[in-house]
Amino acid sequence: MTKKAENKNPNKKNQNSSSHIVSKLIFISAALIGLLSFYIYNIITIPPEVPQFDLNQWWGPYPIDLNRDLSIRPFTIEFTDVIINDLRERLLHRREFTPPLEDAGFTYGFNSNFLTQVLDYWQNKYNFKDREQFLNRYNHFKTNIQGLDIHFVHVKPQVSNHIHVIPLLMLHGWPGSFREFYEMIVKLARPHPSYNFVFELIIPSLPGFGYSEAPVRPGFGPAEMAVVIRNLMRRIGHERYYVHGGDAGHIVGSVMATLFQDEVLGFHTNMPVLMYHPLATAYTLLGSIWPSLIVEKELESRLYPLSQHFQRHLEESGYIHIQATKPDTIGAALTDSPTGLAAYILEKFSTWTNYEYKKAADGKLLMKYSLTHLLDNVMIYWATNSITTSMRLYSEACSKRNLALKLDQIPTNVPTWGIKFKHELIFQPDSLLRLKYKNYLHSTIVEDGGHFAALEMPDLLADDVFEAVDTFMEFHSGKKAEQERNLPKDETAKNIYEFTALNVYGKNVKLDEYKGHVLVIVDASNQRSIANSDYEQLNELLYKYGNSKGLRILLFPSQHNVYINLYNFSVKNHVEFDIFQKVETNGENAHPLWKFLKQKKTTSGDFSKCIVDSKGVPIEWFSGNLDPLDLDGFLDGYFNSDIEDY
């Protein structure tokens, strides 16, 4: 009996040992799964750092032209006889088309029977000179930004003084152009009965589109494009502004609202989507099981069932794959053939306006648009030979380099407003959009309309822009009131070091960084202060006392034309002025710094220049009639005196 019992003990030991090993393996596996889950969760939920970009990166041909013209030059669109005659010849001698399949409509692409009608109209009835005049009804300009000549339409409304004029940057998409906003311009640049403001409109051709030059080397994606457009706004004279965009314009506008959060006052989009956000994808998949978790019941059909929408996206996204991989191949075909260009572009205006239109033999193109308006847009691509360069944006946007930036995962505090048209290509609920847009204020839901809303429903879209910007201003006034409660009071401040001001790059500068420096602070707002001769004299003072004595010159331009003059002078002459954003220098709304300077003034009369000593205390005030070089005597006496602590 004892021997048998002893023989059983090894088995029990083995069993216990095996159970212990299994327990250990389970524990280790659970720990590893937990750690892996935590790692994945962190990757998904912790936002990436904001990438840094060279704001002056050169995209033009080498060698760099150091003497290039940086002015803003008037530009006129011209459809020359050479362009017109060549186009008509190509249309006249086009080959016979393959007949469409019976009852195919647009389901196989552009119906060749209807295409014949479109091309005949373009060749014989499209009035080239009349459309040229139509496109030139607003002022066009070009200016060189980072080596690229950038084209833009600039509309400045003429209104009474009690109507505020607000800068609005409008960004088109592909295969659109600046032309798609023309029907909105009339409404946006005129007073609205419900609001006390109108818009100064800046409508660029995106680089590589239309009349804007394309980069000559790879790597020019949405972020680089956003930098160029931001620099364009600064060249024009706007440090802070609102942005509207759709399609590619949405992507570029979103990047601007991410990288330049101190400059973009509000972002309005008619295609509010996050293209690359892992949490948005995960929640969308989860919502297919439980839709009410992420989307309102009345909008559920715009997103679910996923299989139905996925099938539509798959069918309509073939162009993305071509343009993201071989844009120059398809570009060669479209560049050589106006027929191919018209079919390729206008097919999008059918199906992307309403997916059901593809069943019609004419794609129902004329239900929402006129052929003249549609061909205006095609004509811009043809006349500028820009279809290839426009499509390269897809290749850059889908590149590993651009995707690695994870810009859709970086939050922005810029107030954002979306308008969602029923037949837009992609729909995302507000719950997902707030993963990025932390101040996503509102979505306007429209039970009609598609991808080309500016051309299809311009009045409705313009009204929405007004309402959005009005809400943005209310948002900022609330934030401003909160900030002002924490600002130093000009009545109690002892020196300028207690104040902050935004510089031209949108950075909030604490003026205590100027401790130990003598300063000349200039209000560059009056007509006497904007002459280049004044800047040259200030530059002489800086040259004389800057390196040797530590003099700094701070300029506060308060008018757009002043800023443009100052910017151009600084670039040409490599001047190291410290330039700040536009501020009010007089009245109740004056910046606290300027209220402080005025309060400390011991003499009567107004001033535009002030000397501040090395302790941050203003000591001398001078009127705008005084030449900057006349400050030399005061500065020389100051620097050569035995003033304590300098």
Side-chain angles (χ1 to χ4, degrees):
M1 292 288 294
T2 304
K3 289 183 179 179
K4 288 184 179 178
E6 286 177 356
N7 290 337
K8 290 180 180 178
N9 286 338
N11 292 334
K12 285 184 178 180
K13 286 183 179 180
N14 290 337
Q15 288 174 1
N16 290 336
S17 177
S18 298
S19 299
H20 186 63
I21 292 171
V22 170
S23 299
K24 275 187 175 181
L25 289 174
I26 292 173
F27 175 79
I28 293 171
S29 298
L32 289 173
I33 291 171
L35 288 171
L36 181 62
S37 300
F38 180 73
Y39 175 73
I40 293 172
Y41 177 80
N42 279 342
I43 289 177
I44 293 175
T45 58
I46 296 177
E49 292 186 7
V50 179
Q52 299 299 310
F53 292 92
D54 180 357
L55 300 184
N56 297 302
Q57 186 171 0
W58 183 262
W59 292 105
Y62 288 121
I64 297 175
D65 181 4
L66 297 178
N67 297 314
R68 66 189 183 281
D69 184 358
L70 297 178
S71 66
I72 295 174
R73 315 179 304 276
F75 174 74
T76 302
I77 290 174
E78 184 180 9
F79 297 151
T80 65
D81 290 341
V82 172
I83 291 174
I84 296 170
N85 292 334
D86 173 68
L87 173 62
R88 282 178 167 159
E89 280 292 312
R90 291 170 184 263
L91 293 173
L92 176 65
H93 297 292
R94 63 183 183 264
R95 298 179 67 184
E96 185 177 344
F97 300 136
T98 301
L101 297 173
E102 293 180 4
D103 302 321
F106 269 49
T107 57
Y108 283 73
F110 206 109
N111 187 291
S112 55
N113 286 342
F114 184 63
L115 181 58
T116 299
Q117 298 177 44
V118 172
L119 299 179
D120 286 344
Y121 182 90
W122 196 7
Q123 178 185 347
N124 302 310
K125 296 181 181 179
Y126 183 82
N127 190 324
F128 293 91
K129 291 303 175 184
D130 177 69
R131 302 318 294 169
E132 180 185 277
Q133 290 179 353
F134 172 80
L135 293 174
N136 285 314
R137 68 190 304 180
Y138 302 113
N139 292 324
H140 295 249
F141 299 91
K142 281 190 175 186
T143 188
N144 194 273
I145 306 288
Q146 297 171 245
L148 304 177
D149 267 0
I150 303 299
H151 158 262
F152 63 99
V153 179
H154 197 177
V155 181
K156 292 184 177 182
Q158 301 298 318
V159 294
S160 58
N161 291 332
H162 71 280
I163 299 293
H164 300 289
V165 179
I166 295 172
L168 176 65
L169 171 67
M170 304 186 75
L171 303 173
H172 66 79
W174 185 93
S177 65
F178 66 89
R179 165 63 185 90
E180 63 191 86
F181 295 122
Y182 265 47
E183 282 68 30
M184 289 181 66
I185 290 174
V186 177
K187 190 144 190 173
L188 293 172
R190 290 180 182 174
H192 192 289
S194 302
Y195 307 100
N196 69 338
F197 60 89
V198 294
F199 295 104
E200 176 187 344
L201 302 173
I202 299 94
I203 310 174
S205 294
L206 296 178
F209 289 71
Y211 294 95
S212 285
E213 281 189 319
V216 301
R217 60 188 60 86
F220 190 83
E224 290 75 17
M225 188 174 285
V227 170
V228 168
I229 299 300
R230 174 260 190 189
N231 288 341
L232 169 67
M233 292 301 286
R234 288 190 168 272
R235 176 70 56 79
I236 294 170
H238 294 303
E239 296 91 9
R240 307 192 81 193
Y241 44 87
Y242 298 90
V243 177
H244 162 79
D247 191 75
H250 160 79
I251 295 172
V252 174
S254 180
V255 174
M256 294 181 74
T258 302
L259 299 182
F260 309 113
Q261 298 190 33
D262 291 327
E263 301 177 34
V264 177
L265 293 168
F267 177 42
H268 181 273
T269 170
N270 61 278
M271 198 184 85
V273 296
L274 300 177
M275 301 300 292
Y276 306 107
H277 197 297
L279 269 184
T281 303
Y283 289 149
T284 301
L285 293 172
L286 180 62
S288 63
I289 302 171
W290 195 350
S292 61
L293 282 176
I294 67 166
V295 64
E296 301 90 333
K297 183 67 177 177
E298 59 271 21
L299 298 176
E300 185 180 319
S301 63
R302 296 195 182 190
L303 186 57
Y304 299 112
L306 274 181
S307 57
Q308 177 180 322
H309 291 279
F310 179 75
Q311 176 62 34
R312 178 167 62 90
H313 294 326
L314 189 64
E315 187 174 334
E316 292 303 318
S317 61
Y319 80 101
I320 294 178
H321 191 75
I322 293 174
Q323 293 174 195
T325 55
K326 309 293 182 187
D328 286 28
T329 302
I330 184 66
L334 302 182
T335 294
D336 194 56
S337 169
T339 297
L341 183 68
Y344 195 73
I345 290 178
L346 296 186
E347 178 252 313
K348 309 294 186 288
F349 277 83
S350 168
T351 311
W352 295 0
T353 298
N354 188 323
Y355 183 69
E356 295 299 316
Y357 287 0
K358 68 190 304 178
K359 298 176 182 177
D362 61 356
K364 294 193 176 180
L365 268 175
L366 304 185
M367 178 173 284
K368 295 290 183 75
Y369 314 108
S370 74
L371 276 183
T372 296
H373 292 175
L374 291 172
L375 289 171
D376 284 344
N377 183 64
V378 177
M379 190 65 198
I380 289 168
Y381 279 93
W382 179 259
T384 60
N385 193 15
S386 61
I387 188 62
T388 301
T389 54
S390 72
M391 294 189 298
R392 285 177 184 164
L393 178 61
Y394 286 80
S395 179
E396 300 293 354
C398 296
S399 68
K400 289 182 180 179
R401 179 197 57 81
N402 184 68
L403 296 178
L405 297 174
K406 300 180 180 179
L407 290 166
D408 266 354
Q409 297 177 52
I410 300 173
T412 176
N413 292 316
V414 171
T416 303
W417 178 298
I419 180 169
K420 301 177 180 180
F421 291 90
K422 185 173 184 177
H423 304 295
E424 180 57 271
L425 297 173
I426 303 175
F427 171 85
Q428 283 182 338
D430 294 0
S431 59
L432 301 189
L433 296 171
R434 290 193 174 98
L435 293 171
K436 174 177 176 63
Y437 306 109
K438 297 306 179 181
N439 291 307
Y440 190 86
L441 303 182
H442 175 77
S443 282
T444 302
I445 306 301
V446 185
E447 290 299 323
D448 193 12
H451 189 66
F452 302 100
L455 198 60
E456 181 187 357
M457 307 180 77
D459 289 349
L460 189 152
L461 186 56
D463 284 342
D464 199 66
V465 170
F466 267 107
E467 187 177 358
V469 171
D470 187 57
T471 304
F472 294 155
M473 289 192 291
E474 289 180 6
F475 173 88
H476 286 298
S477 65
K479 289 284 186 182
K480 184 177 180 181
E482 181 182 346
Q483 291 168 354
E484 285 177 349
R485 286 194 291 270
N486 301 318
L487 282 176
K489 302 298 182 185
D490 51 273
E491 312 90 44
T492 59
K494 296 180 180 179
N495 52 55
I496 71 164
Y497 303 144
E498 299 180 41
F499 300 96
T500 62
L502 286 173
N503 67 12
V504 292
Y505 302 108
K507 180 184 177 183
N508 208 21
V509 176
K510 294 181 179 180
L511 298 187
D512 62 2
E513 73 175 44
Y514 292 103
K515 281 183 178 179
H517 291 275
V518 177
L519 308 176
V520 175
I521 299 179
V522 181
D523 172 10
S525 64
N526 58 63
Q527 293 300 312
R528 181 66 187 86
S529 298
I530 65 174
N532 277 357
S533 60
D534 285 24
Y535 301 146
E536 290 167 359
Q537 292 184 33
L538 286 169
N539 197 28
E540 285 187 48
L541 292 177
L542 194 61
Y543 180 79
K544 182 174 182 179
Y545 297 112
N547 291 332
S548 61
K549 303 293 185 180
L551 176 70
R552 304 288 288 272
I553 297 179
L554 282 57
L555 291 111
F556 289 82
S558 63
Q559 296 176 8
H560 297 316
N561 62 326
V562 177
Y563 172 79
I564 292 170
N565 286 349
L566 180 54
Y567 178 88
N568 289 338
F569 178 85
S570 300
V571 171
K572 279 185 178 180
N573 296 278
H574 306 288
V575 176
E576 295 183 359
F577 297 144
D578 292 27
I579 307 173
F580 289 81
Q581 290 194 9
K582 185 183 79 169
V583 297
E584 296 288 337
T585 57
N586 294 298
E588 292 183 3
N589 296 324
H591 189 281
L593 169 65
W594 286 90
K595 288 183 178 180
F596 170 75
L597 295 176
K598 290 178 184 291
Q599 185 191 45
K600 294 296 181 182
K601 189 172 182 292
T602 55
T603 58
S604 61
D606 205 355
F607 72 96
S608 68
K609 302 173 185 71
C610 177
I611 296 178
V612 177
D613 70 16
S614 58
K615 296 179 181 179
V617 178
I619 55 172
E620 298 281 355
W621 295 260
F622 305 92
S623 72
N625 294 321
L626 185 78
D627 284 331
L629 275 181
D630 290 338
L631 301 177
D632 192 359
F634 294 92
L635 291 170
D636 186 64
Y638 182 81
F639 283 125
N640 290 299
S641 68
D642 294 323
I643 292 179
E644 186 180 356
D645 292 336
Y646 190 80

